[in-house]
Amino acid sequence: MIVMLPSSISQLPTPCLLIEQATLQRNIERLSSHIGALGCTIRPHVKTHKSVDITKEIVNGGHTKGITVSTLKEAQHFFSAGYTDILYAVGLVPNKFEQVKYLISQGCDIKVILDSVEAARLLQDFTQLNQTVFKVMIELDVDHHRAGVDPHGDTLLEIATILSDAQFCELHGVMTHAGGSYECFDHESQLALARQERDFSVAAAKRIREKGMPCPNVSIGSTPTAFAIDDLTGITEVRAGVYVLFDLVMAGLGVCDIDDIAVSVQGSIIGFQHDKHIALTDAGWMAMSRDRGTAGHKIDQGYGVVCDAKGAAYSHLIMQSANQEHGIIGVRDNNPENEQQLSPDILFSIGDLIRVLPNHACSTAAQYGEFYLVDGDRVIANLPSISGW
Ligand SMILES: Cc1ncc(COP(=O)(O)O)c(C=O)c1O
């Protein structure tokens, strides 16, 4: 069966996920020119969109080398689409060894990460038994955010020694993700963390090399630190993902403006509660995700900022709460000016289309198996994406 692509967003089913082409291109170009000017390359993290078509656009934007994935399913999917240089950036455990071995046997140049002596020993045993070379990066903790070893501690050198002594492991370098940048609410603190991410990673690589072991790659990155960094000496690549779409969390940190958010969920108005001055949409938390990433921000955006059908944001409207297939749209509180504006039950009619900007692009996009690339109200293409593990 051939399904024709609708030419107008008004013909799309709701809820659906829209990506504004011009905004996407602008975001790609912004990081590409920044990292290019610093003489480095981006290893884009495809977990944000999990789309081969969007990855092609990123690569066309220049200054990229390879990709980063967050699941082995993404690795398999992108490898099948022709991407061979892949970093799987989640700590590797034994139940995934076989899957990685399979990818390597097919010609995939996959790199894996780990951050414990135990995992390094288990991998050493597996690679020895299977006579298969794994390229391994040691994950560093540069901001007490999540995973990784202390760049200045003994465990780093202990793991490096196991890997460089192992006949079938190749010590590929060190990597880190300064996820603490999501709590840096101004440029100064983002820059300070970006420099720390760089300096700690470069120092860790130096310690490994001083012991006579190889450490050819030093990989860092998160969207806030990638934009903030001003000198990438000693760094071989920067990983970033959410920057291509941006979202309300990034806008709340000042990394982008609301106008830079390329992704939105298109919903229909399905009903009203006039006594409560709210409107209901068919985009609930299944469509938006449960992510409330702006909850701790100066401006809590609820489940998302409401826009008209063409994407112009209503400054006074947010999705206040969400059920599985219902979004509840109301007027923001705490601002008397908002009360002068039309409440959503007056503003909208049944069947009207709205767009809702998400808190976290990665969580929202992961709810869908396809996106619509649009230019205003014109549909340009249907982009498949993947999900699962
Ligand atoms: C290991 C790793 N690298 C890079 C990134 C990209 O960060 P961002 O989405 O802020 O660009 C992430 C995001 O979670 C990550 O986990």
Side-chain angles (χ1 to χ4, degrees), residues 140-159:
L140 307 171
D141 177 5
V142 293
D143 60 354
H144 302 302
H145 165 65
R146 195 170 62 189
V149 296
D150 178 357
H152 311 290
D154 294 339
T155 312
L156 172 73
L157 296 180
E158 217 181 317
I159 298 173

